[in-house]
Amino acid sequence: MAKDVSTVILETLASVGVRQIFGIPGDAINGLVDAVRRQDLIEFVTVRHEEAAAFAASAQAKLTGTLGVVVGTAGPGAAHLLNGLYDASLDSAPVLAITGQVESSLLGADSHQELDLQDLFGDVAAFTETLVNPEQMPELIHAAVRQAIGNRTVSHLVIPSDLALAPVPESNTSFYVPGGWRARPCDEDLEAAAHLIGEASAMTLLVGIGARDAAAEVLALAEHLHAPIIKTLRAKDLIPDEHPLVIGGLGLLGTEPAVHAIERTDLLLMVGTDFPYEDFYPEKAKTIQIDIDRTHIGRRTRVDVGLIGESEESIRALLPIVSASTDRRHLERAQAEMREWLEQMRQAESDDSVPIRPQRVAAEIARAAGPGTIYLCDTGAVTVWAARNLRLQEGDRFTLSSNLASMAFALPAAIGAQFAYPDSRVVALAGDGGFSMLIGDLITAVAHELPITVVVFNNSKLGLIQMEQEAEGMPEFATRLANPDFGEVARAMGAEGHRVEAPDELGPALATAMASPRPAVVDVVVNPEEITMPPRIEPRFVLGYARAKLKEIAGKGVQEPGLAPLKEPVKRLTDRL
Ligand SMILES: Cc1cc2nc3c(=O)[nH]c(=O)nc-3n(C[C@H](O)[C@H](O)[C@H](O)COP(=O)(O)OP(=O)(O)OC[C@H]3O[C@@H](n4cnc5c(N)ncnc54)[C@H](O)[C@@H]3O)c2cc1C
Ligand SMILES: Cc1ncc(C[n+]2csc(CCOP(=O)(O)OP(=O)(O)O)c2C)c(N)n1
Ligand SMILES: [Mg+2]
């Protein structure tokens, strides 16, 4: 008997290891969803918002490197997917989106729920095609999957509702997705890089997620050359945070030792990173960049030697042609600064103040969770605490909405992660803004009995935005959030819920939540006044902050409750700021 279009799609997806499809059934996509019902290799996970589906699939793809799949119906269901798909696209995560569409005979007739989906997805997806004839199968689904996996990107397939269950003629097309290839830079470039390394006396490594499979090689090279290692935030889980060669991260969320090491370095070696913050690159040092994508070489900073190849192969090729360094001064200075920095961090992390300091929350999460945990992090001030105070150990995993920097990633990403790794501990670090944005999907975790733990850093505000406003000299405005008790909300939704207001309640609440076989939310009231200090303080930020604070005292954010207007003379002064 001939197979239908949807069955052919599902067989292809199962053959590349897909085990869940995230989405919402209905209207134009019912045929595909019915085909899922009729097989047992792939599960359909009904979410409460298609954006959550796309974040879940994106997180799976980022963590596993294999294909994530989402489904949305024509029109609104498809449109809701977009933000999560952009997250996947910007973080090079292979995700396939399948959307329904009006009947093929109505295409282009401005029918009910008809959007031009190829146009709409044209920017986010590297591949977007509409099925117009069942005979395009299985080649069309093969092409979509090959693109997504092969180019680590987003593919999109549009299935008009009348074609989802249409029979596909027999075909003997075989499907082959090539595995990774071991690309090695050419000898001339390796020689040029070795020459620069030989001349350097203060070399520093900046290591990104493109070194995912090269942690051992990175460590061997750093050891060989006495070079400290800086990790991008996306690559936080590559090497444990307290490894003696690691000196933290670079950028606003980075560490002082990393900023200082960059100031002193005379040779930067970038390994698998597209680190975007140009101001943080060294001003004068020479740079070598290893990247698999030649269009990324030199696009963020001036590069002297580009090594086009995989991180692992490139370092393996470099190691035998560079002599071991005997000069440990650059490394030892950075290590001494790192010990001091960690000591400073530990002070905030063990502070007993009420309201609880968010640094303490991040540190206690890592302590309670233990090694081998998968962490998913939101965008906000919460990212700062995760970057600096959530110290990862060997075997931990960590990911976030890195290049898109979208709010609301942590909860749905935790759902995706727990499906992919049913036996691992999965912990989401959420902002109160981010958590409430897609809070409905806590019900998805409840429905599937996923034992995820969501820790809400509840500062009753869009904390990072307040800091942005103040750094620019604007008074805090429109950032306050009137929140419910999220522990209570969680319980009403069928999850376990805890509310924590005092530091000594934190450890027990985290331990109980993490031991629970059900999803658990720990709503931690954190200090809303905690400021995230950048590792390098620009005078204009200090001035901006002072101006903003004066304006706040003068009551210029007046629409917000709680800010008393100031007396006229001060007001006149701040009006001029
Ligand atoms: C609120 C917020 C604040 C942030 N602040 C910071 C910050 O202060 N510091 C920071 O570092 N990040 C920060 N980020 C993340 C930042 O925006 C970037 O996403 C991140 O720095 C990029 O990391 P990356 O270079 O490792 O990854 P990508 O940008 O994904 O780059 C990876 C690179 O590796 C290459 N590659 C892939 N595979 C291979 C391979 N096998 N071999 C060789 N090359 C390969 C790719 O072509 C690409 O060029 C923040 C994010 C958020 C949400
Ligand atoms: C979808 C989306 N909308 C808006 C923003 C801009 N933004 C970045 S961080 C942030 C505040 C996040 O607040 P919260 O989740 O409470 O975290 P906090 O900063 O307070 O820790 C906002 C609005 C964004 N990154 N993503
Ligand atoms: Mg907040």
Side-chain angles (χ1 to χ4, degrees), residues 221-279:
L221 189 70
E223 197 96 54
H224 193 62
L225 300 171
H226 301 319
I229 299 171
I230 299 171
K231 299 178 293 180
T232 65
L233 183 57
R234 236 201 120 179
K236 184 173 162 68
D237 61 358
L238 210 70
I239 302 167
D241 281 316
E242 294 196 26
H243 188 285
L245 290 169
V246 167
I247 55 166
L250 206 56
L252 286 176
L253 275 53
T255 59
E256 275 173 31
V259 167
H260 293 160
I262 286 291
E263 279 162 7
R264 292 190 294 261
T265 201
D266 61 356
L267 177 63
L268 179 71
L269 173 61
M270 297 167 63
V271 187
T273 175
D274 194 28
F275 180 76
Y277 310 113
E278 291 171 17
D279 289 354

Side-chain angles (χ1 to χ4, degrees), residues 417-481:
Q418 191 74 80
F419 271 110
Y421 299 96
D423 300 326
S424 296
R425 192 189 294 296
V426 174
V427 179
L429 286 80
D432 48 334
F435 178 60
S436 50
M437 208 176 242
L438 285 176
I439 194 171
D441 270 287
L442 185 59
I443 311 172
T444 309
V446 172
H448 290 271
E449 296 178 357
L450 304 177
I452 59 170
T453 300
V454 183
V455 184
V456 184
F457 286 64
N458 187 350
N459 53 6
S460 294
K461 65 169 69 164
L462 304 169
L464 192 69
I465 305 309
Q466 177 198 348
M467 293 170 211
E468 285 176 6
Q469 290 171 338
E470 291 177 343
E472 290 174 44
M474 304 165 183
E476 176 183 12
F477 178 66
T479 57
R480 296 187 181 191
L481 302 174

Side-chain angles (χ1 to χ4, degrees), residues 256-258 260-261 264 332-342:
E256 275 173 31
H260 293 160
R264 292 190 294 261
E332 284 177 354
R333 198 162 162 196
Q335 286 175 321
E337 287 180 1
M338 190 61 184
R339 281 192 292 274
E340 251 175 65
W341 167 269
L342 285 173

